[in-house]
Amino acid sequence: MTSVLVYGAYGHTGRFVVAELRERGFEPILSGRDAARLPGGRPASVDDPASLDRALAGVAAVINTAGPFAETATPVIEAAQRAGVPYVDVAAELEANLDTFARFANADTVVVPAMAFYGGLGDLLATAAMGDWASADEIHVAYGLSGWHPTAGTLAAGRVSHTRRGGKRIRFADGRLEYHDDALPKLSWPFPEPLGAQPVLGEFTMADVVTIPSHLKVPSVTTYMTSVAAEGLSAAQERAGAPETFVVDVVVRSDGEVRRMAARGQDIYAVTAPLAVEAVERILTGRTKTKGVASAGELFDAPDFLRALAPHVTLG
């Protein structure tokens, strides 16, 4: 049985990933920083490289679900490099994703940041929508969430990102990241059913502004968030209640032409598990298009990958 280390296995998303691995016939090896929460697992600290090396001994791959990724990504990737195994994480932190692309451009093994609902799914949809276009003028990724009850890990990661960017917000325009102090524009977005038209906050920048331009030739990537979801995040109340219904709607424009692709489902944290595990399975079976650090859309056959997410995600 192929073993895959899950770092942060006892967290909310980590538990989904562990369950998905077991369902697909992998042997999940549980790891993380808190030994008390890992009976029979392999505790390891990001401050102790030797403990990470012990944790990764004999595994085929590692999935990092432990945020803030500004603290965990680099040490775990370095350990994966020493072990010679692929690394996948579910980081939605823009700064951590940027660090990963910059620091591991010459990685010897596959490194996939943001292989999650935020970052990975939008990148796959944008890549599939682009199709045979060599470039686009702009890409828009609209997140239609019926609500958002963030996990403690999401809130902690958000605080780290907020501090790292000095409280400013980010836009990706003219082929580069820009930092601003102005208020987010309030708009309306015509989501496909079941949401329909919803009030959104424009330029609510997510990891897509890192993943998409890393391989697609596009000077402008804009992301949007339904106002009700943004309010839930701002309330900073830890996750409780029913999971979200979501629609991720991607619009690609080039020379007056428009292509659109959408994905529907429930529970943004639960759907991250099949995204990350499908990535690992494809890496281990050689179904990749490049080496080193790469986003989902660059590494995999995007339309085929999206089809493989059924029944967790419905396309169209």
Side-chain angles (χ1 to χ4, degrees), residues 96-113:
N97 298 147
L98 288 167
D99 288 346
T100 296
F101 276 105
R103 292 174 179 171
F104 299 98
N106 298 314
D108 294 327
T109 60
V110 174
V111 175
V112 191

Side-chain angles (χ1 to χ4, degrees), residues 38-51:
L38 289 166
R42 299 183 183 181
S45 170
V46 292
D47 299 322
D48 183 358
S51 70

Side-chain angles (χ1 to χ4, degrees), residues 167-244:
K168 296 180 182 292
R169 65 183 188 84
I170 299 177
R171 281 203 300 251
F172 184 83
D174 298 321
R176 66 181 186 273
L177 293 175
E178 301 175 344
Y179 293 79
H180 297 266
D181 290 311
D182 54 326
L184 295 171
K186 296 181 180 180
L187 308 165
S188 178
W189 186 274
F191 288 99
E193 295 301 326
L195 293 183
Q198 294 287 328
V200 299
L201 292 180
E203 300 176 6
F204 193 98
T205 304
M206 305 301 290
D208 309 271
V209 303
V210 178
T211 55
I212 291 172
S214 73
H215 69 105
L216 295 181
K217 190 176 180 181
V218 58
S220 174
V221 178
T222 307
T223 56
Y224 307 78
M225 182 65 68
T226 44
S227 298
V228 65
E231 291 165 3
L233 180 63
S234 297
Q237 296 176 347
E238 290 189 25
R239 191 166 184 80
E244 314 87 352

